[in-house]
Amino acid sequence: MSMSPIPKTAPFAEEEIDLLNRVVGTASPVQRAWLAGFLAGLDASGAALVPAHPAAPARPAEPLTIVYASESGNSEKLAGDLAKAARKNGLKPTLIDMADLDLSALVAAKRLVVIAATWGEGEPPARATRAYNELMGEGAPRLDGIEFGVLALGDTAYAEFCAIGKKIDQRLAALGGKRAADRVDCDLDYAAPAARWIDDAVKALAPPNAGRVIEVDFGAKPAATPSTYIFDAEITEHIDLNSSRSDKETIHLALSFEGGAPAYEPGDSLDLYPENDPAYVDELLKIAGLAGDEKLRTEFIKSRDVATLSLKTAETYASSTGHQYVKALLEQGQAREWIAGRQLIDLIATFPIALDAEKLRALTRPLAPRAYSIASSRREVGDEAHLLISAVRYESHGRARRGVASNYVAERLKRGGHVRVKLKPNKHFALPAADKDVIMVGPGTGVAPFRAFVQERRATEAKGRSWLFFGDRTFTHDFLYQLDWQDALKDGSLTRMDVAFSRDTPEKVYVQHKLWERRADLIQWLEGGAYFYVCGDAKTMAKDVRAALTRAYADVKGLSPEAAEQAVVTLEREKRYLQDTY
Ligand SMILES: Cc1cc2nc3c(=O)[nH]c(=O)nc-3n(C[C@H](O)[C@H](O)[C@H](O)COP(=O)(O)OP(=O)(O)OC[C@H]3O[C@@H](n4cnc5c(N)ncnc54)[C@H](O)[C@@H]3O)c2cc1C
Ligand SMILES: Cc1cc2nc3c(=O)[nH]c(=O)nc-3n(C[C@H](O)[C@H](O)[C@H](O)COP(=O)(O)O)c2cc1C
């Protein structure tokens, strides 16, 4: 027998009370709890209420699957923006990190959007690798009739611009998907084109007459989150941690924030807004025949990327100047090779032609900030944040080159000066519960976040053990934060440390060799639930470390190479193998 929970005294007409009792009276406790939350949320959100006599009953929202492949969070953030826009357009979005993607979820999808970044040299973001390989592999399921759209994130400075977004887009079509929105490939200044694409894609994917469905976003956040705020920080320490006899320069930068530091957690980074080297800008303007244009000089120093040379730059140069040799390079498919290791200044010096300020500006893009891992914990340093920045210097094609941001920090920032930074949170590289063990592999500047981890564990008196693998060139000249590690070992916030100094012995020793040497203990820690963190160089170190760990599993546990690989994949799926590499 159904009860009648809505009393006759309720402020509704009699037939409405009957109607409500028919629904609420038979509802399960779960359904009633949902309804209570829904109605509370509807009021709290200020969402428009259903008209007293709707012309037609509200339809259930149509599902939309949104998959993001992200490393530093840009695609993930855009996926969230897309979900919001989708809800407003009568779609019911499900957000999936590609790290957690089960391909069978795609088969069931009717509509699919993928937002994918490219990393390494044309590779998927580290934690998306498994699902990406499955999608590209022979075992991928058919996706006949699924409507899809892909937004690709990348950087035109890389030869493999937006390679992963492009490949996913092709693959979805090859598996039978129907492209509802054309792919857009975004450069580092992706905000405006991505917002436009989201708008267009949602419209293309939304069911006809959409927008009538009331969707309440219970988790809605205020529009401007603190992560979009740019802080002006004072430099309170600027110290080269390498000795004067090292051929490297790695700056420990302590930043102080009047009015409170950004709310960072161990594992987060700061985006640092650099300025260009005035000497480089002067040379560029001279070569372009625009020396003396003070307005352009200031603009170039402060806000334009005047160093990057991409295929797009060469194409713009060829079309705006009509330069025959550059056209020929492009047409003969040699531009890509020519560009490698070169900068904008080489293009103009090698293929000179009359340029005005507008044409030169059109060859540049906005100057983007660079990310640096935070090397401190707020619980230990209060309203400060520490960074560890290695000056990038090299020679190519007969010219001495200097990385823009790292040399801005190393050469032009001084103690007492100021710099602009923005918080770049990374919840995928956070410390685990206090009682869990952590293994941290961080050669070179890769050690920065682990200084934050160790400080945090000391401040919170965490019970879990901590084991650090550090490496650099020489013990005497390149032992970054040596005293900090010694103190941490003494007070127990660091349980164990292994070091690899590659140039101290005739045979080069790297962190992966130390992992291999310590493999018995390493596997024992991992079997006991330890978390494994890798930070630093993505090109070789991160791959070598993963390979060393796989071999360690095979050797210690007597596994086949396939089973050992599976053991590492399991760590990744359990989110106990975490990377922040660059
Ligand atoms: C999440 C994250 C965290 C990071 N954390 C840190 C950190 O803690 N510390 C740190 O120092 N860096 C860190 N980085 C790297 C940092 O963001 C910058 O990429 C780095 O400082 C170089 O920036 P730059 O402006 O000095 O160089 P750019 O002007 O950007 O020049 C770098 C480019 O120069 C070219 N190049 C560099 N070396 C060579 C070479 N030998 N031969 C040919 N070409 C070369 C490459 O094209 C390279 O992309 C991090 C990056 C990310 C994404
Ligand atoms: C170390 C590193 C390697 C990168 N490699 C590429 C690349 O090969 N091709 C490309 O188009 N973009 C590349 N990018 C640019 C990223 O795709 C871009 O920053 C993107 O916005 C990151 O999105 P995410 O935050 O969702 O990971 C690279 C960026 C970094 C820091």
Side-chain angles (χ1 to χ4, degrees), residues 79-227:
D81 294 349
L82 175 68
K84 268 186 216 145
R87 277 191 206 102
K88 288 196 190 124
N89 282 274
L91 290 161
K92 187 171 187 290
T94 304
L95 274 171
I96 306 177
D97 185 342
M98 199 149 175
D100 306 320
L101 178 66
D102 190 338
L103 286 197
S104 57
L106 298 188
V107 181
K110 263 172 79 182
R111 301 176 180 80
L112 169 68
V113 169
V114 181
I115 304 184
T118 299
W119 278 75
E121 305 287 333
E123 290 156 32
R127 63 178 201 275
T129 306
R130 176 203 50 84
Y132 174 80
N133 289 341
E134 284 173 17
L135 182 67
M136 293 297 146
E138 280 176 9
R142 295 286 309 166
L143 300 174
D144 290 305
I146 290 176
E147 288 187 85
F148 76 90
V150 175
L151 179 66
L153 259 59
D155 177 347
T156 48
Y158 288 87
E160 300 298 330
F161 175 54
C162 285
I164 295 305
K166 288 174 187 170
K167 286 186 189 156
I168 291 176
D169 186 46
Q170 282 164 10
R171 185 67 176 150
L172 295 177
L175 291 171
K178 190 168 148 261
R179 194 176 285 108
D182 283 338
R183 192 190 71 244
V184 163
D185 300 332
C186 299
D187 202 353
L188 289 183
D189 49 342
Y190 61 83
R196 272 196 303 276
W197 187 88
I198 286 174
D199 218 35
D200 293 346
V202 163
K203 282 190 192 118
L205 288 160
N209 304 323
R212 302 169 55 91
V213 180
I214 294 174
E215 266 290 332
V216 183
D217 185 357
F218 292 108
K221 294 192 190 78
T225 60
S227 67

Side-chain angles (χ1 to χ4, degrees), residues 217-236:
D217 185 357
F218 292 108
K221 294 192 190 78
T225 60
S227 67
T228 58
Y229 185 79
I230 297 178
F231 290 80
D232 178 68
E234 186 188 335
I235 296 156
T236 51

Side-chain angles (χ1 to χ4, degrees), residues 370-390:
R370 305 319 198 244
Y372 295 99
S373 309
I374 299 174
S376 55
S377 156
R378 278 189 297 148
R379 284 174 188 83
E380 186 153 313
V381 302
D383 277 333
E384 286 189 7
H386 300 174
L387 302 178
L388 180 65
I389 300 179
S390 168

Side-chain angles (χ1 to χ4, degrees), residues 269 370-373 388-390 392 394 403-406 445 580 582:
S269 299
R370 305 319 198 244
Y372 295 99
S373 309
L388 180 65
I389 300 179
S390 168
V392 172
Y394 59 98
V404 172
S406 57
T445 54
D580 193 17
Y582 45 86

